Amino acid sequence: MAKTQKNKATSYHVGQLKAKLAKLKRELLIPTSGGGGGGGVGFDVAKTGVARVGFVGFPSVGKSTLMSKLTGTHSEVGAYEFTTLTTVPGVIQYKGAKIQILDLPGIIEGAKDGKGRGRQVIAVARTCSLIFIVLDVMKPMSHKKIIERELEGFGIRLNKKPPAIIFKKKEKGGITITNTVPLNHITADEVKAVLSEYRIHNADITFKEDSTLDDLIDVVEGNRIYIPCIYVLNKIDQISIEELDLIYKIPNAVPICAHHEWNFDELLATMWEKLDLVRVYTKPKGRVPDYETPVVLTNERNSIEDFCNQIHKAILEQFKCAYVWGTSVKHNPQKVGKEHILKDEDVVQIVKKI
Ligand SMILES: Nc1nc2c(ncn2[C@@H]2O[C@H](COP(=O)(O)OP(=O)(O)OP(=O)(O)O)[C@@H](O)[C@H]2O)c(=O)[nH]1
Ligand SMILES: [Mg+2]
């Protein structure tokens, strides 16, 4: 594909090839016999807390050291590779939220294709709300790209929003392509080639951003998972200040030293920012809000209804309305219904039916 010159005559061909490749990659995702793609015994652990952070990286980069220092949960640390052989869960409490931390076994290149226990590790990574890609600063930075490629090969998209493409299949009428912005990376021919590879001959597609063919394929495939990611650059005790200045330029990276617990404050603050959680304080009638123990919601499930369900399933049955103070409302307080969407640090008082 890289060797094909891009022009009108070849664009259909390129689209076809890209789609073919995506379909083959999907076949790799489907577990082969023996449940290789699933969690596997002892691999996936029960979810606890409002969010889950998974550590992914090559062996011996310091994942278990970081886990032990952050959570106080012991995870075996070894100078040899593949010390950790299964998922080790731990919990940290940060800003009133319980966050589950998963120390995962080291992966190697080719993990997504079934090398080592990589498939199982990456399958667990797919269930995380945030991924820490842990890298050893003494090792080549090309490792970053290798890990990213492994995760991407498993349908994980890092630090990326779902493509702004609306795709609707229909019964007849052919392919209709509309775009609200100019498209610089794709032609109608290529779009048609991709769709015909998927045997889609009737559909409406609207591009709301300057998309690529890969974006389109992600939408058609539909099984992509969009997960935020932090590059944790470990072992900075081994490098000079000049080298540190250089690695600080990497986007979404936090340099640390797990061993001496250096820069954990920045790591936790960045984690919090990426998790994008919503803390809501409850206010019993006639009393001050409880600022000690917030109800923590995720940015996808943050309505008054989600808030009620988080406290107790039975609350909704008696729900009449709610008063909200904070940034999600114009007036303080404002009367709202159960569809109202809450923002971080709002205060809520529930009014029950009598
Ligand atoms: N110099 C230095 N060494 C560290 C640091 N953190 C961890 N190490 C060492 O790196 C080695 C590997 O650490 P682990 O925490 O077991 O690494 P891991 O990523 O969990 O390894 P696997 O479980 O095999 O994938 C150990 O010898 C640690 O003591 C650090 O901040 N600085
Ligand atoms: Mg380990």
Side-chain angles (χ1 to χ4, degrees):
M1 250 191 291
K3 284 191 191 138
T4 311
Q5 218 179 17
K6 247 192 125 174
N7 60 41
K8 247 184 130 95
T10 59
S11 67
Y12 192 85
H13 186 58
V14 169
Q16 239 177 351
L17 284 177
K18 284 212 167 199
K20 277 208 167 85
L21 204 62
K23 286 204 295 188
L24 289 170
K25 282 186 181 163
R26 165 157 40 92
E27 272 162 37
L28 280 174
L29 294 186
I30 299 165
T32 42
S33 58
V41 178
F43 239 86
D44 200 6
V45 297
K47 270 197 185 178
T48 61
V50 279
R52 169 180 261 200
V53 180
F55 294 178
V56 178
F58 281 121
S60 291
V61 293
K63 298 179 295 297
S64 299
T65 309
L66 178 60
M67 161 80 163
S68 302
K69 300 275 185 184
L70 272 182
T71 65
T73 309
H74 177 74
S75 185
E76 203 66 46
V77 170
Y80 45 90
E81 303 203 325
F82 297 108
T83 310
T84 310
L85 295 173
T86 187
T87 311
V88 180
V91 173
I92 49 172
Q93 186 95 23
Y94 190 73
K95 295 195 194 237
K98 266 207 187 85
I99 296 157
Q100 185 177 43
I101 306 283
L102 299 183
D103 179 21
L104 295 166
I107 62 167
I108 49 174
E109 191 168 5
K112 65 175 188 316
D113 313 325
K115 282 211 185 121
R117 311 186 84 172
R119 261 166 164 271
Q120 286 142 302
V121 173
I122 304 176
V124 177
R126 269 181 76 105
T127 68
C128 292
S129 6
L130 171 66
I131 292 174
F132 280 7
I133 293 186
V134 186
L135 298 159
D136 180 340
V137 291
M138 299 299 286
K139 298 275 168 64
M141 270 303 134
S142 56
H143 285 180
K144 174 172 175 277
K145 193 76 221 160
I146 297 173
I147 305 262
E148 285 170 344
R149 218 177 287 137
E150 295 296 317
L151 296 172
E152 271 163 24
F154 227 75
I156 298 174
R157 297 290 173 268
L158 301 167
N159 291 331
K160 206 172 170 279
K161 283 209 184 80
I165 301 173
I166 299 167
F167 171 69
K168 256 194 237 121
K169 276 194 219 177
K170 44 183 194 184
E171 291 294 306
K172 49 180 189 243
I175 305 281
T176 316
I177 302 167
T178 37
N179 51 301
T180 56
V181 292
L183 298 174
N184 297 306
H185 308 291
I186 44 182
T187 65
D189 263 356
E190 286 169 337
V191 174
K192 285 185 181 147
V194 167
L195 295 177
S196 100
E197 196 52 44
Y198 285 99
R199 302 192 201 297
I200 297 165
H201 303 291
N202 302 292
D204 292 331
I205 304 130
T206 310
F207 292 95
K208 301 193 139 190
E209 64 187 4
D210 192 7
S211 314
T212 63
L213 268 193
D214 293 317
D215 291 336
L216 174 66
I217 290 171
D218 279 352
V219 171
V220 176
E221 283 274 339
N223 61 348
R224 306 306 191 225
I225 290 186
Y226 296 83
I227 307 180
C229 158
I230 298 173
Y231 302 96
V232 181
L233 310 176
N234 190 29
K235 309 197 186 180
I236 54 167
D237 53 317
Q238 308 276 53
I239 58 169
S240 65
I241 293 284
E242 290 74 22
E243 286 171 303
L244 184 61
D245 282 340
L246 272 179
I247 61 170
Y248 243 120
K249 297 205 169 80
I250 302 171
N252 298 305
V254 181
I256 63 152
C257 167
H259 207 80
H260 299 290
E261 302 190 21
W262 291 350
N263 211 22
F264 276 20
D265 288 353
E266 188 189 348
L267 181 60
L268 290 171
T270 313
M271 174 194 78
W272 180 257
E273 204 178 289
K274 290 270 181 194
L275 284 175
D276 203 9
L277 297 173
V278 177
R279 286 161 296 171
V280 181
Y281 305 110
T282 45
K283 182 182 150 31
K285 198 175 175 210
R287 282 198 273 150
V288 291
D290 172 9
Y291 288 113
E292 289 300 309
T293 43
V295 172
V296 185
L297 305 170
T298 62
N299 67 340
E300 285 115 34
R301 308 186 67 88
N302 53 353
S303 65
I304 289 279
E305 181 169 352
D306 297 320
F307 168 79
C308 292
N309 283 333
Q310 184 87 265
I311 302 173
H312 198 281
K313 293 274 176 246
I315 289 187
L316 266 186
E317 289 160 24
Q318 300 170 46
F319 179 86
K320 187 173 166 215
C321 68
Y323 288 101
V324 176
W325 291 255
T327 51
S328 74
V329 287
K330 281 203 193 105
H331 313 285
N332 280 299
Q334 190 171 315
K335 193 171 154 185
V336 300
K338 61 177 193 263
E339 297 77 25
H340 179 77
I341 298 296
L342 294 160
K343 292 240 175 85
D344 192 28
E345 301 215 79
D346 277 354
V347 171
V348 174
Q349 181 187 321
I350 302 287
V351 181
K352 291 181 187 169
K353 289 180 201 152
I354 328 159

